[in-house]
Amino acid sequence: ALTTPILEVKDLHVAYGKVEALHGVNLKVGAGQIVTVIGPNGAGKSTMLNAIADALPTTGTMRGSVSLLGEDVASVPVEARVARGMCLVPEKRELFSTMTVEDNLLLGSYRRYRAREKNYADQLDVVFELFPRLKERRKQDAGTLSGGERQMLAVGRALMAKPQLLMLDEPSLGLAPRIVKEIFHIIVRLKETGVAILLVEQNARAALQVADYAYVLETGSVGLEGPASQLANDSKVIDTYLGLA
Ligand code: ATP
């Protein structure tokens, strides 16, 4: 079908000072899809997400186009990109550890509150249904949570903005295998709620299992792409990324 992709990135270049980290990346996320970007440390995965979200450090400069639902947002600032439906869960999670779980979540709806959206807090129920653990701990400070719960809170906070595109930077990083499984299970449930997902992962095996489509990023360029099930059976991908995982 010829539906407009949720996200389309064309010829994305990013440089830190004189060092180019991305050399012309093209990528698409269709409605209702999970798209994953796998690849080794330092390939430029975080750089790519940060450029898409307008969250590059001040030393980073980009060129190329980023379209959200068919509209070019490359020169639109981060708040306005969120308003148009994209939300990034950064690798560092960036929670407020001395604020409660509930208050961290409400911060995720701050833009909607400022915009006088009547039902800005309604998503709390949606988030608590997805993450019952967060509901149990709603009055606790975020700093008291386990690693897995913190990742859930970071995802929950992003969902408070009611995104159409959720971008996740290494959600499984540093988590125990059992928790990783739970996080990936939640990613699939999120997809079922209709949100499109761009998932950056070093855990290639788990990412390829849940994704519809995948890109392999190698030192700033897409080396390989295709349906996730196809890449999961590609001998080069198996040797390089699935062998030891
Ligand atoms: P990781 O999984 O380790 O985060 P990655 O695939 O996300 O890896 P990036 O963090 O995007 O990779 O890094 C891509 C390249 O850009 C690397 O060579 C890195 O050293 C460089 N880089 C990243 N951030 C900066 C920065 N703020 N200033 C200068 N160079 C940077």
Side-chain angles (χ1 to χ4, degrees):
L2 292 171
T3 45
T4 314
I6 303 278
L7 176 73
E8 184 160 20
V9 173
K10 282 188 192 157
D11 200 29
L12 179 65
H13 294 251
V14 175
Y16 296 107
K18 287 185 179 146
V19 181
E20 195 174 78
L22 291 183
H23 320 298
V25 168
N26 297 295
L27 169 145
K28 250 189 244 187
V29 181
Q33 276 190 324
I34 299 179
V35 171
T36 189
V37 177
I38 58 174
N41 243 304
K45 303 183 298 300
S46 299
T47 296
M48 185 198 74
L49 285 191
N50 289 335
I52 294 170
D54 188 33
L56 283 172
T58 50
T59 52
T61 52
M62 67 155 271
R63 69 191 160 83
S65 81
V66 176
S67 303
L68 190 60
L69 288 157
E71 279 188 66
D72 191 345
V73 295
S75 53
V76 168
V78 58
E79 306 83 10
R81 291 190 203 193
V82 173
R84 289 184 196 204
M86 65 160 69
C87 212
L88 168 66
V89 180
E91 188 175 311
K92 296 207 164 88
R93 292 153 202 182
E94 291 165 16
L95 302 171
F96 294 90
S97 55
T98 59
M99 286 172 61
T100 63
V101 166
E102 184 165 299
D103 285 348
N104 271 278
L105 288 173
L106 286 170
L107 277 178
S109 55
Y110 184 67
R111 187 203 60 77
R112 297 176 57 216
Y113 164 76
R114 280 285 305 272
R116 306 287 188 271
E117 281 185 32
K118 276 207 188 72
N119 306 320
Y120 71 92
D122 279 11
Q123 282 286 100
L124 263 184
D125 294 331
V126 175
V127 171
F128 285 149
E129 205 195 308
L130 269 168
F131 304 106
R133 216 105 50 89
L134 295 183
K135 186 173 187 180
E136 283 163 29
R137 307 205 187 310
R138 65 201 289 174
K139 299 295 177 199
Q140 262 175 249
D141 282 357
T144 66
L145 299 180
S146 70
E149 290 164 349
R150 261 182 257 205
Q151 183 59 56
M152 291 173 195
L153 180 53
V155 173
R157 186 177 56 182
L159 291 176
M160 292 297 291
K162 276 199 168 179
Q164 310 205 46
L165 172 70
L166 185 67
M167 298 188 280
L168 303 170
D169 195 351
E170 303 256 7
S172 76
L173 191 75
L175 302 179
R178 184 175 53 83
I179 313 292
V180 170
K181 223 171 148 189
E182 209 177 321
I183 294 282
F184 275 94
H185 185 69
I186 287 160
I187 291 171
V188 172
R189 281 189 63 197
L190 284 177
K191 170 186 160 160
E192 288 162 0
T193 69
V195 56
I197 295 166
L198 180 55
L199 170 67
V200 155
E201 261 300 336
Q202 280 199 57
N203 188 339
R205 186 180 299 277
L208 290 175
Q209 256 167 27
V210 299
D212 299 291
Y213 199 84
Y215 296 84
V216 180
L217 195 63
E218 286 166 338
T219 53
S221 305
V222 173
L224 200 62
E225 65 171 274
S229 56
Q230 196 174 308
L231 289 206
N233 291 303
D234 180 285
S235 58
K236 182 173 177 281
V237 174
I238 292 172
D239 288 349
T240 316
Y241 301 107
L242 303 179
L244 299 169

